[in-house]
Amino acid sequence: MNKSLRQLFTAVLVLFVVLGISSSIIMTVQSNSLSHDARNTRSLYHMYGAPRGAILASDGTVLAKSDPVNDAFSYQRSYANGALYAPVTGYFSVTQNADRGIEASENDLLTGESNALFWQRIKAVFTGEENRGASIETSINTTLQTVAAQELGDQDGSVVAIEPSTGRILAMVSSPSYDPNALATHDTGSASKAYTELVNDDSNPMLNRATSQLYPPGSTFKTVVAAAALESGKYQLDSQIPAGSAYTLPGTQTELTNSSSLGDGSDGKISLKSAMAYSSNTAFAQLGVALGDETVSDMAKKLGFDSTITIDGADSTGLPMRAVASRFPQNVAGDKLALASIGQGDTLVTPLQNAMVAAAVANKGKVMKPTLVDRVRFSDLSVLPDTKPQVMSTAFSEDTAKKLTEAMEAVVTEGNPNLEIPGVRVAAKTGTAQIGVDNSSIDGWTIGFAPADNPKIAVAVVVHNVDLYGSFAAGPIMTAVMKEALKQ
């Protein structure tokens, strides 16, 4: 073989090697991203060419479904009461990848492409039947979801309701919301326009405030500090702790005061139970400093702070639905620790996390993993094993939980009688977080559970940018959801 032929042979061989490597990369490394690229029309036609599974509420109400249509995509996705359930369902669009809600977290099951549906796909090949996606049965209670949304109205905020013993999410409302039907249209121009308008909307309606928005928790965080104090063994509900009408933040000249003189105590002291009942800022700021940021931070972490929380799905099923990490500061000066201990400063929380705090007290100190899917049902009506309750951590002892419950009942009976439900023992903690320039506005909170002696539901409510105390801005919403739950 002469020199020219050898060079030509070498060049052709190199080209084949390059082609083989590039093809392997495309088929393995890049295959998933390419198949999920919204510009890949072949992938879109494939996904729309078979009926996508339905998303259902716990009572069987259809929240999302696919109906046959006479166009290139074959099936049209539609959402019942779209805006009400958008935080749960997310959206499925011809112009944008599903990136939130059940549509994203259970995408592979909904499309029928999951490995769990392998034998169904094989069966479809041999029988000539359509490959149908699985249906996703959620834990959402339609009545509670509706009541929560109606009570919140057009206010900016969120409501989360949890079954304390299991972690099942019964309601998850975010306001303002959006209608996924506008994104599901097969008119690509209209879908793109709707998406652009939504992402450019200053009110951010596509944001699920329940899981993805951090708020200062205000005095609801005193529940965490009280848990840390009781669990330390150094404090009891009748322990007298420093309070007073004012407290100068360490190393500053800034004075912290109470919203009510009942929180001042007597002779500069107040019992831990009364400090909770009357939401004493001066008492809990000093208690947080006395405990130290490590002790308070450890308790917050046991309750779920400082970690993202996976609510549904896994990488194998789609894009998991996760809650952003709530935060409590560490290694900070005394003045910042004092503010953080009353839910101000650098302490930030999602509504889901605050519902988990209430649920942990209701569940004897055990923090349950929050879940949104009860079961997955295949088109032949067989099911994957039901979601089993899973303990994330034991944040505190049953004895501490009992004492916290007693203190949270006092919050209602002694400090906030407007939160009472006739014939039902209610445990709660209110919060009035100051926000904005010069603390000119409020994030109003109420968290709690009922019945306090046999908990069935835990609720967290936040109403953003209001001029009312949390007890009055969020409290009525919490009690309305509780009343409806206890009717069932």
Side-chain angles (χ1 to χ4, degrees), residues 59 65 98 208 234 238 252 351 399 421 447:
D59 62 359
K65 62 185 176 71
N208 184 354
K234 299 176 182 178
D238 60 359
T252 76
D399 181 62
I421 299 176
I447 67 172

Side-chain angles (χ1 to χ4, degrees), residues 372-444:
L372 197 52
V373 172
D374 280 346
R375 68 190 57 85
V376 176
R377 191 177 300 276
F378 302 144
S379 59
D380 63 1
L381 301 184
S382 62
V383 298
L384 285 177
D386 289 2
T387 301
K388 294 182 179 179
Q390 180 180 340
V391 178
M392 282 179 54
S393 70
T394 299
F396 40 80
S397 67
E398 185 174 345
D399 181 62
T400 292
K402 287 180 180 178
K403 292 170 182 174
L404 286 172
T405 299
E406 181 181 338
M408 291 174 73
E409 284 191 81
V411 169
V412 177
T413 57
E414 297 178 25
N416 300 272
N418 61 300
L419 301 181
E420 291 181 338
I421 299 176
V424 178
R425 290 168 58 183
V426 178
K429 185 68 193 82
T430 62
T432 302
Q434 295 177 316
I435 61 170
V437 178
D438 297 326
N439 294 329
S440 58
S441 193
I442 289 169
D443 279 346

